[in-house]
Amino acid sequence: MRRSRANVSLLGMALAVSMGMGVLVGFWAPDDDLFELRKGLRIFGAVYEEVVTGYVEPVDPGHLVRVGVDAMLEELDPYTTYVDESENARIDIITEGQYGGVGLDIGRRNGALTVVAPVAGGDAYQQGVRTGDVITEVANQPAASLSVEDVEALLRGPPGTTVPVTVERAGRPSPLTLTLTRERVELPDVTYQGRVGAERELGYVKLERFTRDAPGAVEAALDDLRDTGPLQGVVLDLRDNPGGLLRAAVRITALFVPQGTEVVSTRGRDDDETESYTTDRVPLLPETPVVVLVNGQSASASEIVAGALQDHDRGVVMGTTTYGKGLVQNVRSLPHNTALKLTTAQYYTPSGRTIQRLDANPTDTTAPPSRVHETTGGRTVRDGHGIRPDVRVASPSPSPLEQALTRRGAFFRYANHYAATHDTLAADFSVDESDLGAFRTWLDREDVAYSLRAERTLDSLRAQAEAHNYEGLRDETAALDAALDEAKAAAFDRHAPALMRHLRREILARYVSASRRIEALLPADEQVTAATDLLQTPDRYERLLTPEGRR
């Protein structure tokens, strides 16, 4: 049915007015800018009306607006985004660390919607849903036709309501249908705290995200560690922490630096839009040595904490260079429970470094021309690539064999098989050579094909030889096939320790909580070991925090 021009005109007018009011309330603009703004709104509304009412085929007005908004925002940085009603629930997870749901982290594994991890304390966890369970039906809808986002939306809802979920589990002959109760799921900010080091004299805190409650969680973790004895050092693990709230980062930094210390500043589009954030409390650990672990997935608030402690020579940053996400987003509410996540400023560390990776947006001209800065004590630090560590310690790179097995989901699937054939797991569970042998036998029995790059190259060469009738190459390619088979078999022995660690990590995920899994894997974590070694060597720690000319 053709929509009436009058109705669409009203819709276009409402759209223009709502967009205009949102922009005008958001900032003051000169008269020339206001003229261009009003002109643009009128043109957009007119084009929208003409297309919806006059295009040769019917169009979806809502979809058309979304496409137009997304295309407009693509001209800006990658973090300025429109948040529709179904996505708005994610904002609560970022800022509050909680949501109304059943407590399931889901994703696609081998094409199937799969439980990546149940959240400890959620109803799904309480009812025995396991990592690796394949979701086949949600809310009486077949999961095969649903996206991950669709399933997440169906699982969320008002606390106290229920949703039926059907899963298939390896080793179980029939599907399992559960009625899960939605509740306020609170994601833990600190997923593990414990003592590390040869004499257990060091504290370790793993922080997953920066929500409103994160500072209190970190302080409580440190207090609990101090209650068990003096701390000679602290490892603050921010690896894979995507960030969160700015004020949470300031409050966590305040646990280690003197009251009144600048942590970060933000600079907006105009000179008067600069704001500095300082600590407003007496520190909990004013002198305890600190090592901050970071990697390429440590972003935003994680970079604020790492950058502030580095700039004030208060701690050693270790790991690999951080993500470089130094743009400030404000969430602006829009009509119909939608929102706009809008970049309004950039983060700068106390030394004046921009946190933003300068090559992330080639059109960005707001970055300072100099990339060299000095810490409070006179050490040289640089910007332009996120936060660079004082000590670079990279995670071990997986071998081609481990990468091939991971691509095929072999570790994940074998862990499902293991859980299906072992009801319990020993408290001191470890993977030995016999377990690795069982894994290899399972790969052969299940006919899990996992090709290395060299094999794919050989397949391409063989195909070209056959296409051009190069008969003389058949013997050579056959010999290469045999050599590659031998090399693949030998790779299992050569890379056995890494393969066993990977298997242990996946199998543990089927039986124990995230906290216990982190505890079990810590002894084999090379970056944590490097951090504890540094804290156990005070002279080296102090030397790293001293300018080169004074060492």
Side-chain angles (χ1 to χ4, degrees), residues 333-356:
S333 296
L334 298 177
H336 304 291
N337 197 31
T338 62
L340 176 66
K341 196 164 66 167
L342 180 68
T343 296
T344 57
Q346 288 196 45
Y347 292 127
Y348 289 83
T349 70
S351 68
R353 290 183 289 166
T354 175
I355 291 175
Q356 179 65 18

Side-chain angles (χ1 to χ4, degrees), residues 102 104 106 112-115 124 127 129-130 132-144 146 151 154-155 162-169 172-180:
V102 299
L104 284 180
I106 61 175
L113 284 164
T114 306
V115 176
Q127 293 202 42
V129 177
R130 288 180 179 177
D133 285 350
V134 175
I135 299 173
T136 58
E137 192 172 280
V138 181
N140 301 314
Q141 296 187 41
L146 301 175
V151 174
L154 290 171
L155 292 176
T162 61
V163 56
V165 176
T166 301
V167 300
E168 292 180 350
R169 179 174 296 167
R172 187 181 179 92
S174 58
L176 179 65
T177 299
L178 302 168
T179 300
L180 302 178

Side-chain angles (χ1 to χ4, degrees), residues 138-152:
V138 181
N140 301 314
Q141 296 187 41
S145 60
L146 301 175
S147 66
V148 171
E149 293 74 17
D150 292 334
V151 174
E152 288 176 340

